[in-house]
Amino acid sequence: MQRYRFGQGEYKYFNYPLPKIIHTIREEFYPRLATVANQWSELLEIETKYPAKHNDFILQCNKHKQIRPTPLILHYQQGGFNTLHQDLYGEVYFLFKW
């Protein structure tokens, strides 16, 4: 992470098929995130609208040739940290930015 100035620690991405717990968390948490992201889109007058279901969002990503899963595990030692950043892998991404 440090070479990209993302922080000090390690990260590992998952591949498909995702572990069941990761798949379940994504499916269950996504609708809440989509609601907030759509509210932000409206407030910021951005045309992006996120579907209510995670699977529909994945289909939208796939249409744009974005097929890699993005869940990851971060591991930190004492003194490790994560800086505010966002990795974008194509033109479809979630609105949350800083």
Side-chain angles (χ1 to χ4, degrees), residues 28-42:
E28 291 182 6
F29 196 56
Y30 174 85
R32 295 178 189 115
L33 290 174
T35 298
V36 174
N38 283 327
Q39 290 170 349
W40 274 104
S41 286
E42 188 175 322

Side-chain angles (χ1 to χ4, degrees), residues 22 25 39:
I22 301 298
I25 290 169
Q39 290 170 349

Side-chain angles (χ1 to χ4, degrees), residues 1 15-16 22 39 42 61 65 68 76-77 84 86:
M1 291 174 35
N15 289 317
Y16 287 122
I22 301 298
Q39 290 170 349
E42 188 175 322
C61 292
K65 308 263 190 277
R68 293 181 5 202
Y76 305 102
Q77 300 289 338
L84 294 177
Q86 186 173 37

Side-chain angles (χ1 to χ4, degrees), residues 57-69 89-92:
F57 180 68
I58 294 297
L59 291 173
Q60 181 180 352
C61 292
N62 290 343
K63 285 181 186 175
H64 288 88
K65 308 263 190 277
Q66 293 172 230
I67 57 173
R68 293 181 5 202
Y89 297 105
E91 62 185 85
V92 179

